[in-house]
Amino acid sequence: MSDDDYHRRTAITRLAVSPTDELLLRDTIEEWKQGCQIAVDKAWERCHSKSDVQQLAYDDVRENTSLGSQHAILACHQAAENIKSCISRRQDGKKASKPTYTSPTVTYDSRTMTVFPEKEQVSLTTYGNHARVRADLVLPDDEEGYQHQYLDSEEWEPTESTLHYRDGDWYLHLGFRKPKTTDEATENGTVLGVDLGVNEIAVTSTARFFSAGELNHKRREFERVRGDLQERGTRNAHRTLETVSGREDEYVKHVLHSVANGIVEEALHYDCDGIVFEELGGIRERLPEAAWHSEWAFDRLYEYVEYKAEARGLFVETTNPKNTSKRCAECGYIHDNNRPSRDMFECQQCGNQNHADYNAAKNVADVYLRREQQSSRGRGVSQYALKSGTVTPTRGYTPYADASEAESTDKPHRQRSERVSASE
């Protein structure tokens, strides 16, 4: 069976590791990073399939590291995936240099890792001839924790997983899979489109709005307090200023975590396979009036969604933002006048009126799906979620079986083509 024939999920859990075992795992990570780097150095600009990289670099990895045979194979496969990702980025017109390995992570599979669900433990292979490390899975006390639905299930089997070391703790991103049924293998996957805005932090294609109003209000308060402290200029005021700035950062992080949770919940509620954002490069220039963002806020929100989505088995992707703000999601007509104000969208071609960020969220998903249809590395997704149904770019709107009528924001979609005004 191919990878596309499986459902995949990831359950993230902390590990309780003894000081002795921690040293073994740290050394194993160092050997792993070295093995991946050797494989990339050998295969860069030469090949990128797992089998080709393995054939080219396996012996070198074994000779120059203390990795076991299976971990040497996994290191070659990791290098192949990273090289392939660089090639994809270049095909999308982005820069991509040869990968380097600095993150404290290492990959495990069924041959290098054994999970003991009854004992809530895991056994991990280490480097060289050292014995395996056996560690406890630190699971939520509540048996309703999402990890249990995979650990306690006979349907889901452990598969390739990743061990991470961060902030002084060990985390295992446990991968699980189960075969799709024949019917499921032919079904079309669904994505959730997300637009980032000015008055709204984010808006989804299912018409969920995450307002920036309260965040903007709080940040203005923080700015006023900072201004007063800066005017004082005393040493004590300076110390207080640092404290206030720290509180502001923590508040913004809290809000972004909450928005990220909401976006992931929305995707799960509508049975989506993935979440699609517009590319973040240049977004600060595109949204100069987004007062809620600081230097890192957009990237941080995406990062939060990415790892929270991964834990629930969803992928997160981006797509080109060109024209998503002035393209009609109903008929495809593109014109500067389609957006008469920041929040209002009114199509000059078909008369469609909607919230501008909601219209853009649908466009983000639509553009991604059209790219997927032309891609040889597609994810098997062909429709995006609305509140009352789904939209397929080529076939239009389909209401959910239990939906009596479309929401006012969900117009029946026309089969559309891109129509651009002469001034474009």
Side-chain angles (χ1 to χ4, degrees):
M1 298 175 72
S2 70
D3 287 346
D4 292 337
D5 295 325
Y6 289 95
H7 290 292
R8 295 184 180 275
R9 297 292 185 269
T10 302
I12 301 177
T13 178
R14 189 166 63 84
L15 291 185
V17 178
S18 71
T20 301
D21 288 343
E22 179 168 322
L23 291 175
L24 283 175
L25 291 177
R26 280 176 172 270
D27 289 342
T28 300
I29 284 177
E30 292 305 313
E31 295 294 314
W32 167 261
K33 291 191 293 186
Q34 185 179 348
C36 292
Q37 196 64 59
I38 290 170
V40 159
D41 291 344
K42 290 283 290 187
W44 184 249
E45 306 289 9
R46 297 180 66 180
C47 58
H48 60 270
S49 74
K50 290 182 178 180
S51 58
D52 287 346
V53 175
Q54 180 178 329
Q55 182 175 352
L56 180 67
Y58 174 81
D59 288 341
D60 279 27
V61 174
R62 289 284 280 147
E63 290 172 7
N64 293 283
T65 73
S66 298
L67 293 175
S69 59
Q70 186 60 22
H71 257 139
I73 291 172
L74 291 174
C76 292
H77 292 179
Q78 181 68 55
E81 286 294 323
N82 296 139
I83 294 172
K84 190 180 298 183
S85 177
C86 289
I87 293 173
S88 297
R89 288 179 61 82
R90 287 178 173 180
Q91 289 173 343
D92 291 338
K94 303 174 183 176
K95 294 182 179 179
S97 56
K98 184 173 71 173
T100 57
Y101 296 87
T102 58
S103 298
T105 67
V106 57
T107 299
Y108 283 88
D109 65 0
S110 58
R111 295 186 181 183
T112 54
M113 175 190 72
T114 305
V115 181
F116 302 96
E118 319 81 34
K119 298 183 179 180
E120 297 184 354
Q121 291 182 333
V122 65
S123 172
L124 303 171
T125 298
T126 57
Y127 74 103
N129 297 317
H130 295 284
R132 282 190 166 211
V133 164
R134 190 147 176 159
D136 292 331
L137 302 172
V138 184
L139 298 169
D141 293 333
D142 183 0
E143 292 188 359
E144 297 298 318
Y146 79 93
Q147 295 94 336
H148 290 285
Q149 66 182 294
Y150 306 118
L151 285 165
D152 300 338
S153 172
E154 295 183 358
E155 292 184 311
W156 293 94
E157 63 172 337
T159 185
E160 196 165 287
S161 305
T162 311
L163 179 67
H164 296 252
Y165 182 75
R166 62 176 181 267
D167 299 329
D169 286 314
W170 294 92
Y171 295 88
L172 187 60
H173 292 216
L174 270 169
F176 290 90
R177 71 178 187 180
K178 71 175 181 179
K180 294 179 180 178
T181 65
T182 302
D183 290 340
E184 287 176 323
T186 60
E187 286 180 354
N188 295 320
T190 306
V191 298
L192 180 77
V194 180
D195 180 68
L196 303 177
V198 176
N199 292 333
E200 313 297 332
I201 297 174
V203 178
T204 71
S205 59
T206 52
R208 184 166 180 182
F209 289 70
F210 298 90
S211 174
E214 180 65 20
L215 179 55
N216 285 336
H217 173 70
K218 288 285 188 181
R219 293 192 77 241
R220 283 193 295 269
E221 287 187 353
F222 279 118
E223 186 176 354
R224 178 183 57 78
V225 172
R226 283 200 309 271
D228 291 343
L229 291 169
Q230 287 169 347
E231 283 186 8
R232 294 181 194 175
T234 64
R235 182 177 301 177
N236 187 53
H238 178 71
R239 286 196 296 266
T240 305
L241 181 62
E242 291 180 344
T243 301
V244 169
S245 296
R247 288 176 182 170
E248 181 180 12
D249 284 347
E250 289 305 311
Y251 174 76
V252 174
K253 288 178 185 178
H254 170 75
V255 172
L256 295 179
H257 270 295
S258 178
V259 173
N261 286 333
I263 290 171
V264 173
E265 288 167 5
E266 196 76 355
L268 292 170
H269 178 76
Y270 288 94
D271 294 324
C272 295
D273 299 275
I275 301 168
V276 182
F277 289 84
E278 59 185 313
E279 292 172 357
L280 299 184
I283 193 170
R284 294 178 183 86
E285 290 73 28
R286 297 198 300 275
L287 298 175
E289 299 177 7
W292 61 267
H293 81 74
S294 60
E295 187 65 25
W296 45 263
F298 290 115
D299 291 333
R300 188 61 61 89
L301 176 61
Y302 181 88
E303 176 187 319
Y304 290 165
V305 172
E306 191 171 36
Y307 83 73
K308 292 173 188 289
E310 176 189 296
R312 308 307 298 272
L314 306 174
F315 68 83
V316 179
E317 289 276 9
T318 62
T319 195
N320 192 322
K322 183 180 180 181
N323 292 327
T324 53
S325 65
K326 54 187 177 182
R327 172 185 181 270
C328 179
E330 301 301 321
C331 71
Y333 184 66
I334 300 170
H335 197 286
D336 289 339
N337 293 340
N338 281 353
R339 192 163 183 172
S341 66
R342 177 188 296 165
D343 294 335
M344 183 64 189
F345 185 91
E346 183 174 356
C347 181
Q348 305 301 299
Q349 177 79 16
C350 71
N352 167 45
Q353 294 183 356
N354 225 315
H355 190 285
D357 293 340
Y358 175 59
N359 179 79
K362 293 191 281 187
N363 281 331
V364 167
D366 187 87
V367 171
Y368 174 78
L369 293 175
R370 290 174 184 272
R371 188 189 78 185
E372 281 288 286
Q373 292 172 355
Q374 301 171 3
S375 172
S376 60
R377 46 190 171 81
R379 293 179 176 271
V381 291
S382 62
Q383 58 190 6
Y384 67 86
L386 297 177
K387 190 172 184 178
S388 65
T390 59
V391 175
T392 303
T394 56
R395 296 196 302 272
Y397 171 77
T398 303
Y400 297 127
D402 58 352
S404 58
E405 60 180 286
E407 297 287 329
S408 61
T409 51
D410 296 346
K411 309 277 197 315
H413 286 61
R414 303 166 177 83
Q415 178 127 352
R416 76 201 81 159
S417 60
E418 297 299 323
R419 290 192 286 275
V420 185
S421 73
S423 63
E424 291 297 307

